Amino acid sequence: MVNLSSKEKFLLEGEKYQQQLAIDKFNDFTLHAKDDNLKTLFSNLSKIEESHLNLIDEMLQGKVPLINNKSIHPYYESNTFNSNNYLSVGGMMLTSLDNNYSYEDGDKIICFDALTTEELLHYTYNISKSEFEKSEFNDIFEFIINEKNENIKYINEYMNKKGMYNNTIYF
């Protein structure tokens, strides 16, 4: 059992709050996305965020959660984003050869929102990690930060493959 300082509890409560916001957002994005592949992507991201929330809940209870370091993204069958020609995520395949660069403006807006959300979470976890650097929770923070990196890559790759960076977006 880990005894948490009031500052550590405060930071974990903040991460918990941000995680719940991300889950709610991604669940909402799943419902409102027009592209079925994007719905799958957001559904998977929501599951990943739920796993992060569970880790935070365990830490708040003073427990050191067990993590599976071998599987950074348990909800993705293949994290192949090395190729410029294709992206395979959770059973969906996007290729640059599809000639399907069309997307709904709403999908583009929620993708940018999702990207910003993941970048914010990545940042806050990095800040919190510095407080836990010499604790039993350091590896947990490192694990979550690595998953945030992967989430950002997947959203970016989806947006690249769909051509969402090729023109201006107006909010």
Side-chain angles (χ1 to χ4, degrees):
M1 191 65 80
V2 177
N3 290 323
L4 298 169
S5 70
S6 58
K7 183 176 183 181
E8 290 170 333
K9 286 179 187 175
F10 176 79
L11 290 170
L12 289 172
E13 286 291 345
E15 296 299 350
K16 180 178 177 175
Y17 176 77
Q18 292 298 326
Q19 280 301 145
Q20 188 59 60
L21 285 176
I23 293 166
D24 293 345
K25 222 180 232 198
F26 293 151
N27 284 336
D28 188 55
F29 292 168
T30 301
L31 294 174
H32 291 95
K34 301 296 181 201
D35 179 39
D36 287 338
N37 288 332
L38 190 56
K39 287 178 183 283
T40 300
L41 182 69
F42 285 130
S43 177
N44 289 339
L45 287 173
S46 179
K47 291 173 188 170
I48 291 167
E49 299 305 342
E50 286 173 11
S51 73
H52 295 167
L53 181 61
N54 291 336
L55 293 171
I56 297 299
D57 279 338
E58 285 186 58
M59 289 190 283
L60 277 166
Q61 296 169 22
K63 299 175 185 174
V64 180
L66 296 175
I67 53 175
N68 180 358
N69 284 321
K70 292 180 182 178
S71 177
I72 290 179
H73 260 106
Y75 301 101
Y76 293 103
E77 293 169 7
S78 169
N79 48 354
T80 306
F81 54 89
N82 300 337
S83 170
N84 289 329
N85 296 323
Y86 67 92
L87 169 69
S88 175
V89 179
M92 66 180 173
M93 181 71 74
L94 301 173
T95 75
S96 58
L97 306 174
D98 281 343
N99 294 326
N100 183 9
Y101 294 112
S102 65
Y103 55 84
E104 298 283 334
D105 285 339
D107 282 357
K108 184 175 183 177
I109 291 169
I110 61 178
C111 281
F112 273 103
D113 192 343
L115 189 59
T116 303
T117 299
E118 283 300 321
E119 289 168 342
L120 173 67
L121 286 167
H122 184 272
Y123 176 77
T124 63
Y125 274 106
N126 271 306
I127 298 300
S128 293
K129 182 181 182 286
S130 65
E131 186 66 30
F132 292 92
E133 205 165 46
K134 296 180 182 175
S135 82
E136 298 91 335
F137 295 149
N138 186 57
D139 290 344
I140 307 302
F141 278 94
E142 191 65 37
F143 174 78
I144 293 172
I145 289 167
N146 287 338
E147 287 205 334
K148 297 294 172 208
N149 286 334
E150 293 299 308
N151 291 352
I152 290 167
K153 288 177 189 176
Y154 283 118
I155 296 167
N156 265 317
E157 283 297 314
Y158 175 87
M159 293 174 73
N160 277 327
K161 299 298 181 199
K162 289 301 227 177
M164 290 182 177
Y165 289 116
N166 296 340
N167 54 31
T168 307
I169 185 168
Y170 298 98
F171 292 96

